[in-house]
Amino acid sequence: MAVSGQRRRPVVALYERIADAVHDGTYPPGSTLPSEPKLAAELGVSRPALREALLLLQEDGLLTVRRGVGRTVNDRPPRRGFEHVQPLEELIGAGTPLRVRALLRTVEEPTDFTTQHLLAPARAELRFWESVLTGEGTAAALSHEWAAADELLDRVHPEFATALRAAEERAARGPAASMLSVLLGASRETALTAHSGITATLLGRRRGDQLGRPADTPAVLVTQVVRVGETPVLAAKHMLPTGAPALPVLQSH
């Protein structure tokens, strides 16, 4: 989904509301959406904003326009999120990958986020990477990435555990990489699955300082979990401020 400029925040929120309605069965597969005027009234939004969100939903494969019928929900709408496992620096780089600048490479105890998404036990030690993605001299995104504890990785994906250690050593001497790109490089023989959520938010003071933007800048927050089988091995938060390159929200069918 590509949403640009100051319209990003309300359109993303509207996109989310309609996508939620599709996936919770309010508008089931094969059903026809209400007309634009009726749907705008039901949602309490302007028709221009609704039209843009509907166009994005069409582009992303949830809706189809049928002449004489209107907009219908596809029989097999794609799952929501950032499921196609691809590094963010490539996904939003428009053909030219963004540069990853390492801000922090450390080990930390579980937070509420990593306890929930990595199922990390108390007092575990998790690798944490904080990076800024830049392109053409502009900060495009802030990424926070966590890997599961080394003991678990050594058991379920030892190649990833080894690659993480090597990547941290390389980052100290030269160009950095994202944790997800390291995971993909180590997973040529290992199947991965991923799921994410997307919400609209504001940067806040600390993230605004890191991205060179005001604290009240609207942003899209992507949360992502990557698994080997049923075991989560990586969890991430990606913050994309207004004006960042467009992010395709739906990546798989």
Side-chain angles (χ1 to χ4, degrees):
M1 179 182 71
V3 187
S4 60
Q6 295 294 334
R7 297 176 297 171
R8 173 170 293 189
R9 190 179 185 192
V11 172
V12 166
L14 183 53
Y15 178 108
E16 287 283 293
R17 290 176 64 187
I18 299 172
D20 283 342
V22 168
H23 290 280
D24 70 15
T26 302
Y27 304 122
S31 66
T32 301
L33 264 61
S35 65
E36 276 188 22
K38 183 176 180 180
L39 188 57
E42 288 179 0
L43 297 173
V45 298
S46 68
R47 288 185 63 184
L50 174 63
R51 190 172 298 116
E52 184 170 356
L54 291 172
L55 287 172
L56 294 169
L57 288 161
Q58 288 169 218
E59 292 175 5
D60 288 341
L62 274 82
L63 305 178
T64 297
V65 176
R66 298 173 59 190
R67 182 170 296 181
V69 177
R71 290 185 176 89
T72 61
V73 179
N74 287 337
D75 289 336
R76 298 182 66 183
R79 293 179 62 195
R80 292 180 56 207
F82 189 38
E83 277 86 11
H84 180 71
V85 187
Q86 182 177 358
L88 188 65
E89 61 268 31
E90 297 176 7
L91 188 62
I92 66 173
T96 303
L98 302 179
R99 186 171 66 88
V100 178
R101 176 164 59 88
L103 297 182
L104 184 64
R105 300 288 188 263
T106 190
V107 173
E108 66 175 30
E109 292 186 354
T111 62
D112 289 344
F113 178 79
T114 50
T115 296
Q116 176 185 354
H117 294 288
L118 288 179
L119 308 179
R123 310 183 82 84
E125 293 187 339
L126 308 178
R127 293 178 187 274
F128 169 61
W129 292 9
E130 182 177 54
S131 309
V132 170
L133 278 56
T134 61
E136 298 182 355
T138 301
L142 176 68
S143 286
H144 288 171
E145 300 173 294
W146 293 264
D150 282 359
E151 309 84 71
L152 185 148
L153 292 183
D154 287 336
R155 186 171 70 252
V156 303
H157 199 341
E159 297 84 0
F160 180 36
T162 299
L164 277 175
R165 299 178 189 115
E168 288 180 342
E169 292 177 4
R170 289 195 302 272
R173 302 190 303 268
S178 68
M179 187 177 285
L180 181 54
S181 69
V182 173
L183 173 57
L184 291 178
S187 302
R188 304 186 192 285
E189 305 297 327
T190 304
L192 303 173
T193 58
H195 185 68
S196 73
I198 299 175
T199 57
T201 186
L202 300 176
L203 283 182
R205 180 177 297 176
R206 181 175 182 273
R207 289 167 174 161
D209 289 344
Q210 290 172 311
L211 290 169
R213 307 289 184 89
D216 60 354
T217 299
V220 171
L221 175 64
V222 179
T223 59
Q224 182 182 33
V225 179
V226 184
R227 295 179 175 84
V228 174
E230 297 299 318
T231 304
V233 295
L234 182 152
K237 293 181 181 181
H238 308 293
M239 184 77 75
L240 287 79
T242 296
L247 172 67
V249 174
L250 291 158
Q251 287 292 104
S252 68
H253 292 261

